[in-house]
Amino acid sequence: MKFDAPIGDTPIDNGRVVGRPHSRVEGPLKVTGRATYAAEWHEDLPAMLYGAIVPATIAKGTVKAVDPQAARQSPGVVEVLTFEDIDIHGTSSGRTVKMVGGPEVQHYHQALGIVIAETFEQARAAAALVHFEYEVGAGSFSLDGGRADAKVCGAYGGPGETRLGDFEAAFEAGEVRFDAEYRTGAHSPAMIEPFASIAQWQGDDLMLWTSNQMIAGTRGSMASMLRLDEERVRIFSPYVGGGFGAKLWANADAILAAIAAKKVGRPVKVVMPRGLIFNNTINRPETIQRLRIAARADGTIEAFGHEGWSGNVKGGNPESTVMASRSVYAGPNRLMADHMAHLDLPEGNAVRAPGDAVGSIAVEIAMDEMAEKLGLDPIEFRVINDSQVDPSKPEKTFTNRHLVRCLRDGAERFGWGDRMAPGTRRDGKWLIGMGVATAYRAALRHASGAAVRLETNGRITVETDMTDIGTGSYTILAQTAGEMLGVSVDRVDVRLGDSRFPVSAGSGGQWGASSSTSGLYVACVNLRRSIAERLSMDAERVEFEGGEVRSGNRVCSLLDAVAGGPVEAEGKFDFAQSDTKAFGTFGAHFVEVGVDAYTGEVRVRRMLAVCSAGRILNPVSARSQVIGAMTWGVGAALSEKLEVDERYGCFLNHDLALYEVPVHADIPHQDVVFLDDLDPHGNPMKAHGVGELGLCGVGGAIANAVYNATGTRLRKVPMMVEDIIPHLPEPV
């Protein structure tokens, strides 16, 4: 089914199941330890071995010699494989660096081999005994040093630079002008579940249990790297303990587990230790961003310029900081450009809300600074420059843009009218401030398929290779099938994360929820038709409710339709490109902070997000997604930053002891409000995603609140106490 026109009323609009709050259907399995994650699929695997990755201890250079003998002689060791023994074809799709390096080393902790032993402890101990002799190369590890040679470069297939009108002339002619640079730190995905895989071969067929967000893509990558037909690879990943983009691809644990298992003829488990993950996998790179805005005295933007600089390995993408800027605020003259410097740090790639998460921080601080120069309230300045057409593509109108309502409703709920002049409000030793920011993230859509079956016992089974990375996929898919087939959620069994099932959109880019449920919607439409035919009913006039099928005065039980056996159907949903419509999600973040007038400590006191993202499929899981994203925004603003040791070209704080994510004590009560604004143009569910919208803008809102509290503007995040203390007022 190709979606190329707005959809009218559908069974989803009944709202008996979809749109209602529902706890996670797999929740009991998770809290009782019965949900099986990637490292736990070993009860039925005889004689399983354990693999430990051998990482590079330099960031750039060449391996001149390898000595694995001490490792081979270590207790319990079955095999030692280095890059000299491993033949991998190409890289994992979507990644730039090789999963196994050597003899060239591309970054610190790049995998150079694997030790396989009877126990995890034996493998880990022996891995430390593999000796490499290196010729160390001169690496580039500083964005400041590499910026001068950075080149304009696009990300994810997009342009590196876009222009509209004459930006330079309009900026120079502006009545009020603003020009400043901002800096954001590098981030780690830092998910709870480590990268883990178990591989088993049956002849030439590979079974891989792994922690992964995109089953079909990973299956294709594994097949390509191992020179196999895809039919010979089965990927299984029903539960994923967080990914945030880092598990969009096959990683070193997966490919090395597969190679090791083939070599030794036994199942092999590989789990990356936390200290290896930060440098071995991906990160969100550090950025420098320049914002130039020119406006008329009434606040109307005439010129909007946003340029970003970030570093990455050779052949990689920049952090696309300007992606959202193309579409958020109006202005006829525009310049957006990303630049990439070649750095020899671990690969930068898609981390939750890539580009937009950190790009929005700089933009939203700049919008506040410009509003102050104009003498306007920050919300009013944003409202003045709202646009119902995409500013970068004026021929396209947004299908569902309610940014102004988000800002207005949020201001009223948050008490924005009580905001005082910068540095003037106190609560004991605390300096109090409020901040606001716009949230924007494109509403991406991807083709997705599913199968659905009415069983002989009246239960519904849903199958798709969609993943649940903690986002609630099981629940919203159960709700979709329940709504379409007239049963309660507890009568739906959802099976996910198996490459034997129909190919879905996968989890990423906040497209998963709306895309995967749309694919299931089509499958359910087809199943409804098949059930009606079995019951000799008019498929166009049939209704499903309460476990019954109704057509006119005739009522049948669903069980009547399966008297001759189960009924099943498949469906796939795809999205036509539109030349006239733009799809986005919008919101507004409000934050109140307290800054200790003596120590410079920042405490978030209140947070509010008002979100416009079409139909909210499940308010419970949607709220969880947004508050989790808001929490990450607190980390970006106040604590999270990968620190680079430029002597060795590695991230120093490569574990959760030193990479400081917010904890419960750092987070106050968070309010989330969803507007009731269905979008019939986007998909049959009339829904968009929210998982990344909740992050975009939060860091900027916190920075603006710190300014309002202290009267001092900081243009870098995270904002540390050493940055704040020099600007605190004299003690009272």
Side-chain angles (χ1 to χ4, degrees), residues 315-328:
N317 291 314
E319 182 72 2
S320 186
T321 59
V322 307
M323 205 156 41
S325 298
R326 295 188 174 108
S327 302
V328 178

Side-chain angles (χ1 to χ4, degrees), residues 82-221:
T82 71
F83 64 88
E84 294 180 328
D85 311 301
I86 295 171
D87 179 22
I88 299 177
H89 178 67
T91 62
S92 177
S93 178
R95 292 293 301 275
T96 299
V97 301
K98 296 191 296 182
M99 294 298 96
V100 179
E104 178 192 4
V105 175
Q106 294 174 284
H107 64 84
Y108 192 86
H109 272 181
Q110 185 176 22
L112 296 180
I114 184 171
V115 173
I116 307 104
E118 297 288 347
T119 70
F120 166 73
E121 292 80 6
Q122 291 170 333
R124 179 180 60 182
L129 301 178
V130 180
H131 178 71
F132 296 103
E133 181 182 325
Y134 299 104
E135 181 179 297
V136 180
S140 177
F141 310 120
S142 166
L143 181 56
D144 288 316
R147 181 179 179 182
D149 296 322
K151 307 297 184 186
V152 172
C153 184
Y156 313 115
E161 178 177 298
T162 56
R163 288 177 174 271
L164 200 65
D166 188 338
F167 168 78
E168 284 81 5
F171 181 77
E172 291 301 321
E175 293 181 61
V176 181
R177 293 183 295 172
F178 175 79
D179 184 348
E181 283 197 351
Y182 301 86
R183 193 163 202 137
T184 66
H187 296 157
S188 170
M191 73 297 293
I192 293 176
E193 183 195 18
F195 293 84
S197 296
I198 298 175
Q200 181 186 38
W201 290 83
Q202 295 176 332
D204 292 328
D205 294 336
L206 171 65
M207 175 66 188
L208 184 69
W209 294 266
T210 189
S211 185
N212 192 267
Q213 297 174 230
M214 303 285 287
I215 299 299
T218 295
R219 183 190 191 195
S221 290

Side-chain angles (χ1 to χ4, degrees), residues 12-133:
I12 295 296
D13 294 315
N14 291 330
R16 302 185 185 102
V17 186
V18 170
R20 301 289 182 180
H22 200 289
S23 57
R24 297 186 184 192
V25 297
E26 84 286 6
L29 297 178
K30 289 181 174 177
V31 299
T32 57
R34 292 178 290 154
T36 310
Y37 289 82
E40 300 170 338
W41 290 95
H42 51 74
E43 290 186 4
D44 299 325
L45 297 178
M48 188 171 69
L49 298 172
Y50 296 81
I53 294 173
V54 183
T57 53
I58 65 170
K60 184 177 182 180
T62 305
V63 179
K64 306 302 292 182
V66 182
D67 183 3
Q69 292 310 310
R72 290 186 185 279
Q73 296 166 8
S74 187
V77 171
V78 175
E79 183 61 274
V80 177
L81 301 175
T82 71
F83 64 88
E84 294 180 328
D85 311 301
I86 295 171
D87 179 22
I88 299 177
H89 178 67
T91 62
S92 177
S93 178
R95 292 293 301 275
T96 299
V97 301
K98 296 191 296 182
M99 294 298 96
V100 179
E104 178 192 4
V105 175
Q106 294 174 284
H107 64 84
Y108 192 86
H109 272 181
Q110 185 176 22
L112 296 180
I114 184 171
V115 173
I116 307 104
E118 297 288 347
T119 70
F120 166 73
E121 292 80 6
Q122 291 170 333
R124 179 180 60 182
L129 301 178
V130 180
H131 178 71
F132 296 103
E133 181 182 325

